[in-house]
Amino acid sequence: MDIGKVIRKYRKEAGLTQEEMANRLGVTTPAVNKWENGYSNPDIELLAPIARLLHISLETLMSFHEELAPSEVEEMIRELDSMLDSEDFEKVYVKATEMIREYPNCNRLIWQIAVILDARRLCDDSVDSEKYDKQINTWYEMALQDEDEEIRRCAADSLFGYYLRKKEYEKAEEYLRYFSDKDPMKKIHRARLYEMKGEKESAYKVFENVLFSEYEILNFAFIHMMNMAIEEKDFKRAHYLAEKIGTIAAIFEMGKYHECSPMLDVVCAEKNIEGTFRVAEQLLENVDTLFDFRKSELYQHMHFKEVDSGFLERVKEELLKGFRSDESYRYMEDNMAWKDLIHR
């Protein structure tokens, strides 16, 4: 936002007309109009009186602390992106530098400019990429000071990638502190460090741990969505989500039991006799696959706790106990196949 737009914004907030402002400053109304429309700027001796009149600081008047709206940042980035398709990289770089000089405190703009120039220079063989390393990294470092966690994290991500490519591993690792310990990308980046340093065993272990953790998160989210659909009696959607849960379990090689079990809640809610029998039979037949993920090649570098040899048998007994006594299965009590199944 240039000085004219700042004057217009705060003049209106102060409830002044252009004429009233002109009278108070001892200038003409057309002069104020020209300032606000960008045709001219106030004389330097008028800056302090204008700031006092509008109840703002000189820095605000000069836009030093002006924060751009996200939509304004997006528009400026679109402009640069369009220029990159038709103009020389150096010319766009100069334009970007001018934008940052005008809005030196807008870290969102600085970060996104760094990202767009960084990506383009790495993809364009005609650009001398290393020529821009220092300035682009400086912009990322500036963005690291922002209060917005997303901006800090994204800037750190870019700097991590830069130093990883340069094989400066200790420097790359410094930027992992900007990631939350709960962020899976922190683990993935650490695994990449292990991989680049030739510590393949450690890299595999971390990657596998991320896969296993992400399965648990996905499973949790899908189950809650399925339960919501059941509560709404939207059984078509509930079936769809239960099938997705089973598919995810298969992809992550969790075992046949985990693939079958989600559908039990759906058919039970529907009081679907045939469906309930089929799913219950599948579960009882596949109790021994409950911990099949322990044998999966996906997790061969992970270490799991030993399972009590009698645990699976106890799971099966608890399952049968539930089928026999839980009121939820009362609608099955006259089905002969069901009786044979649960009283084996």
Side-chain angles (χ1 to χ4, degrees), residues 214-276:
E214 289 305 298
Y215 164 74
E216 292 179 327
I217 292 171
L218 287 171
N219 187 57
F220 186 80
F222 269 101
I223 285 175
H224 275 271
M225 290 169 65
M226 181 190 73
N227 288 337
M228 287 168 62
I230 290 172
E231 288 176 8
E232 295 166 353
K233 300 191 182 306
D234 186 349
F235 296 119
K236 181 179 180 181
R237 180 167 175 76
H239 269 273
Y240 169 79
L241 291 168
E243 289 170 1
K244 290 296 181 186
I245 298 169
T247 300
I248 292 169
I251 291 171
F252 284 86
E253 299 185 10
M254 302 307 293
K256 190 69 177 177
Y257 185 92
H258 294 282
E259 296 174 36
C260 303
S261 59
M263 193 61 74
L264 183 63
D265 287 337
V266 181
V267 293
C268 185
E270 290 179 305
K271 293 184 169 45
N272 181 334
I273 293 175
E274 182 181 345
T276 302

Side-chain angles (χ1 to χ4, degrees), residues 296-343:
S296 168
E297 288 189 23
L298 273 180
Y299 314 111
Q300 62 178 302
H301 297 85
M302 291 179 65
H303 300 293
F304 297 100
K305 292 181 180 179
E306 292 296 324
V307 179
D308 180 350
S309 58
F311 180 77
L312 294 178
E313 193 58 39
R314 291 196 295 275
V315 169
K316 190 171 184 177
E317 285 303 317
E318 286 298 316
L319 205 53
L320 284 167
K321 182 179 177 182
F323 291 151
R324 292 168 188 153
S325 59
D326 194 318
E327 291 293 320
S328 302
Y329 302 103
R330 180 61 62 87
Y331 63 95
M332 297 291 294
E333 61 185 4
D334 294 328
N335 185 277
M336 294 305 297
W338 176 257
K339 289 180 179 179
D340 290 341
L341 179 68
I342 64 176
H343 292 292

Side-chain angles (χ1 to χ4, degrees), residues 4 24 34 48 78 92 106 123 130 162 166 202 208 210 215 227 233 243-244 271 281 290 297 333 339:
R24 289 172 183 262
K34 287 181 180 179
R78 277 196 294 269
V92 183
C106 185
C123 296
E130 292 187 359
Y162 171 80
K166 294 293 184 180
S202 296
E208 291 170 11
V210 170
Y215 164 74
N227 288 337
K233 300 191 182 306
E243 289 170 1
K244 290 296 181 186
K271 293 184 169 45
E281 185 177 44
L290 195 59
E297 288 189 23
E333 61 185 4
K339 289 180 179 179

Side-chain angles (χ1 to χ4, degrees), residues 144-270:
L144 284 176
Q145 310 307 313
D146 199 79
E147 295 180 356
D148 189 318
E149 183 179 353
E150 178 199 5
I151 293 176
R152 294 198 307 272
R153 178 188 177 280
C154 290
D157 188 78
S158 296
L159 287 164
F160 171 86
Y162 171 80
Y163 287 107
L164 190 68
R165 291 193 302 273
K166 294 293 184 180
K167 298 184 179 181
E168 296 183 34
Y169 303 131
E170 290 186 8
K171 185 69 175 177
E173 191 165 10
E174 289 179 15
Y175 295 99
L176 294 184
R177 63 190 174 91
Y178 289 94
F179 292 78
S180 164
D181 289 337
K182 296 180 181 179
D183 187 341
M185 283 307 301
K186 184 172 187 175
K187 293 179 180 179
I188 288 173
H189 284 336
R190 192 168 296 284
R192 291 175 65 198
L193 274 172
Y194 286 138
E195 178 189 4
M196 293 289 286
K197 292 192 288 186
E199 301 174 22
K200 299 297 179 67
E201 187 78 14
S202 296
Y204 273 123
K205 186 174 181 179
V206 175
F207 279 131
E208 291 170 11
N209 184 273
V210 170
L211 286 179
F212 196 81
S213 298
E214 289 305 298
Y215 164 74
E216 292 179 327
I217 292 171
L218 287 171
N219 187 57
F220 186 80
F222 269 101
I223 285 175
H224 275 271
M225 290 169 65
M226 181 190 73
N227 288 337
M228 287 168 62
I230 290 172
E231 288 176 8
E232 295 166 353
K233 300 191 182 306
D234 186 349
F235 296 119
K236 181 179 180 181
R237 180 167 175 76
H239 269 273
Y240 169 79
L241 291 168
E243 289 170 1
K244 290 296 181 186
I245 298 169
T247 300
I248 292 169
I251 291 171
F252 284 86
E253 299 185 10
M254 302 307 293
K256 190 69 177 177
Y257 185 92
H258 294 282
E259 296 174 36
C260 303
S261 59
M263 193 61 74
L264 183 63
D265 287 337
V266 181
V267 293
C268 185
E270 290 179 305

